[in-house]
Each structure stands twice: as structure tokens, then as C-alpha cells.
Amino acid sequence: MMGLFSKRRSQRNGTRTKPLSILFTTDLHGSEAAFRKYVNAAVKFNADACVLGGDLTGKALVPLVEDGGEYSAEFMGRRLSASTDQELADIERTIRLAGQYPFRTTAAGVAHMRDHPEAVDEVFLAAMRESLHGWFDLAAERLGDRGVKLFAICGNDDPLELDEVLASHAFVEHVDGRVAELAPGIAVLGFSGANRTPWNSPREFDEDDIRARLEHSIGMLEATETSIWNIHVPPRNSGLDTCAEVRADLTVVSDGGEPRLHGAGSTAVRELIEAYQPQLTVHGHIHESRGISKLGTTVSVNPGSEYTEGILRAAFIRIGTAGVKTQLLST
């Protein structure tokens, strides 16, 4: 594992006498391999709490087409086939570990979905719901007896219908637009949205709307200086939001043949962090902009994402009398 550390001066930390340990990850995009590593890391590091950022769900359905009792699928440039239940289960597991969703169907079913986009949406949502329930059940089984809680949000790519999965699962504290107690004297708030992007994803807002929504949540806090903000989009020009600039037609802007880099984060998020100075903010959204930043006294973290390879990018954070200490993990 690789490590990167940042410290800040201490703030009031409720009545807690030992450091609070938090494991944060984000942008898993359906990768079951990365989520399983996350749960295992929470056990290994004896985390007191798990904080899960947005963009939880995958981006592709993989049909397993039945013909004469055998199933076949096209997956990552390969043709996979199964003639036994065990072979079929192995293929489905391989697909799920890579962050995609297998589903059993027929050639006629594929043709129907090709002509009826609403049927694709229905299958996609069902697969996402099933996957998230499975993830949260696994986390509850492995972490529940340890007294760990999972504080989670969706992200800008996640369909709005999935909020119900987070809100209804007994192991999950759904903090999008809400405030919850993470530890005595430490509250966490969440925000699943992002500023406008060329992709027009489900949870994009104008900056004024982001500011208004966050200020509503901030108003619920008893103490902003000890709070933790789980905000999917990073603050603008913070070093946590650097990526290639993309035009409305999704082509990359270049200078001299090289992609032009810019800060794609939210100005409202940055301004509110600078104004209220929470002790910690955790972000994702920009996969390639992994790092730790300081805005005033606030420590801000983006662990990055490499979900397509099944790699877990995470941050192990300790909050105590010495302040906030953050280690970036990769496994």
C-alpha cells in the first residue's frame, strides 16, 4: 500500500479521548472487487466508521444469452460461454467484479430491449438495486458486530431512484441533504450532486443551487468546526479536481497536441469550505485527481478511483487531539 500524510492543528473533538478512525472511498462504479476490498480494509484497519462517497453504480449491462441450455456473453472483447450452473455463476461473478451487471436472457429478449429502451432502464435499475443491497448486506455482516456504521451518498452518475436503497437499508446512514452523528461531537453531512458537466448526468446543478442546498444542510450542524462533509464534487481549483477540459460535444480541448487541464470542481463548494472551515471534507468525482489539500484549516481529500482494474483507492483518516491525519491507500 502507498501512503500520503497531512496534519492540521487540533479542534474541539467532543468527548472522545482516543482518535476516531474513518475509512473513506468513492467512485466504485459498480466494482464488486473494489467494494469487497473496502470492507476487508475496514476490518484490517479497525475503522470506527466507514464513509462512502458517490457514483456507486456501474455503467454497463452484459446479457448472458441462453441458447439450447448454454449461455454466452460478449465481455471486454472476449466471448464467454457456460454449459453448467457453476460455469454460469463464475461468469456472472467475473462480470460483477469488474463493475458491470450480468443478466440472463434470450436472443428474443435482447431484440426486445434493443427496440424498447425503457426495458433496458428497468433491467438496469433492478440490477443496480440488487447489487447495492448485496454490498450493504455484506458490509453489515462483516462490520455490524464491530459497531461500525456506513455513512453513504450517491453521486452525480447514480439514478435518483437509488436513494431509496440507501435510505431503507438498516446498516446505512444516508446523509445526502442530511446531517448524522458520526461520533460524539462530530457530525457528517452529505451532498450527492455536482456542478454542470458535458455529460448531463442525473444530479447536476447550477452553482447557486449547490450553495443553497449545502447551506441548508450546514444550518443543521451544531458545530461546523468539528464537522465532516461528504460532498461528491471537489472544491474548484483545489488540486482535487484537475482533469482534461471537455467540450459540450465530449471532445477534449488540447494545447499543442496535449490535453488542456483545468479545475472542474464546484466554486460554491470551495467558497463554503473557506467560509465555514469544517475539519474534514471528502470528495470524489474526478478520478484522476487523487490527493490531499488544505483550504484554510480544512483538510480535503480525494482518494481517486481506478475501479475498472478492481483497485481500491481509499483514505484512512484519524481525528484526534493532534488534528486530522490522512493516509491514502491503494490495494
Side-chain angles (χ1 to χ4, degrees):
M1 293 188 177
M2 299 187 298
L4 228 172
F5 295 86
S6 174
K7 290 185 179 180
R8 56 165 282 183
R9 290 185 302 172
S10 63
Q11 298 276 356
R12 180 172 59 86
N13 190 28
T15 59
R16 195 175 182 87
T17 57
K18 74 179 185 70
L20 172 73
S21 61
I22 299 168
L23 187 66
F24 171 70
T25 194
T26 184
D27 293 271
L28 298 182
H29 285 284
S31 173
E32 188 165 311
F35 186 80
R36 286 180 174 273
K37 288 180 179 179
Y38 178 57
V39 174
N40 290 340
V43 174
K44 177 179 179 179
F45 286 94
N46 198 25
D48 296 311
C50 289
V51 177
L52 183 61
D55 284 358
L56 304 175
T57 53
K59 299 183 177 183
L61 285 169
V62 180
L64 288 159
V65 182
E66 190 272 334
D67 182 15
E70 294 192 355
Y71 286 84
S72 63
E74 296 294 331
F75 178 65
M76 292 186 171
R78 296 181 295 155
R79 183 174 179 81
L80 306 178
S81 60
S83 56
T84 68
D85 290 344
Q86 185 59 55
E87 290 173 345
L88 182 58
D90 289 344
I91 290 174
E92 290 174 328
R93 183 174 184 272
T94 296
I95 294 169
R96 285 193 297 269
L97 287 174
Q100 300 183 31
Y101 301 117
F103 72 102
R104 303 179 189 186
T105 186
T106 62
V110 172
H112 175 79
M113 292 174 69
R114 189 177 294 120
D115 295 334
H116 297 83
E118 69 280 2
V120 177
D121 292 341
E122 183 178 337
V123 173
F124 227 138
L125 274 173
M128 291 175 180
R129 288 189 178 105
E130 181 182 5
S131 175
L132 289 181
H133 275 295
W135 284 12
F136 299 151
D137 288 347
L138 172 67
E141 178 184 332
R142 296 289 309 281
L143 302 174
D145 289 345
R146 294 170 170 265
V148 177
K149 198 75 173 178
L150 179 65
F151 298 82
I153 59 171
C154 287
N156 65 294
D157 278 343
D158 296 320
L160 298 174
E161 292 90 340
L162 297 179
D163 284 341
E164 184 274 334
V165 178
L166 277 66
S168 63
H169 200 284
F171 186 68
V172 179
E173 282 281 357
H174 182 220
V175 293
D176 187 19
R178 299 179 58 250
V179 168
E181 184 182 70
L182 189 145
I186 300 178
V188 58
L189 64 78
F191 177 66
S192 63
N195 49 313
R196 300 293 179 184
T197 79
W199 287 271
N200 193 29
S201 53
R203 301 171 191 254
E204 294 183 10
F205 303 94
D206 294 333
E207 292 286 358
D208 286 346
D209 200 359
I210 293 175
R211 183 178 291 102
R213 289 169 181 263
L214 281 172
E215 285 183 332
H216 177 74
S217 297
I218 293 167
M220 303 178 195
L221 295 169
E222 292 185 6
T224 58
E225 71 274 14
T226 58
S227 63
I228 297 169
W229 297 4
N230 181 9
I231 299 178
H232 185 61
V233 62
R236 186 66 170 259
N237 294 327
S238 59
L240 307 179
D241 67 327
T242 305
C243 61
E245 186 176 352
V246 179
R247 300 183 182 91
D249 64 359
L250 303 185
T251 58
V252 176
V253 179
S254 62
D255 291 320
E258 296 294 327
R260 179 188 298 171
L261 300 180
H262 76 140
S266 165
T267 57
V269 169
R270 180 177 183 122
E271 290 166 2
L272 290 171
I273 291 173
E274 290 175 332
Y276 289 97
Q277 295 286 268
Q279 64 176 330
L280 172 69
T281 69
V282 290
H283 310 274
H285 189 49
I286 309 299
H287 300 182
E288 60 269 43
S289 201
R290 183 172 189 252
I292 302 167
S293 181
K294 292 285 291 290
L295 294 175
T297 59
T298 300
V299 175
S300 297
V301 182
N302 178 357
S305 173
E306 204 170 346
Y307 72 94
T308 56
E309 303 300 322
I311 294 172
L312 173 68
R313 302 288 196 196
F316 185 63
I317 303 159
R318 293 172 69 87
I319 300 174
T321 56
V324 176
K325 183 178 181 181
T326 302
Q327 180 182 6
L328 294 182
L329 309 175
S330 177
T331 183

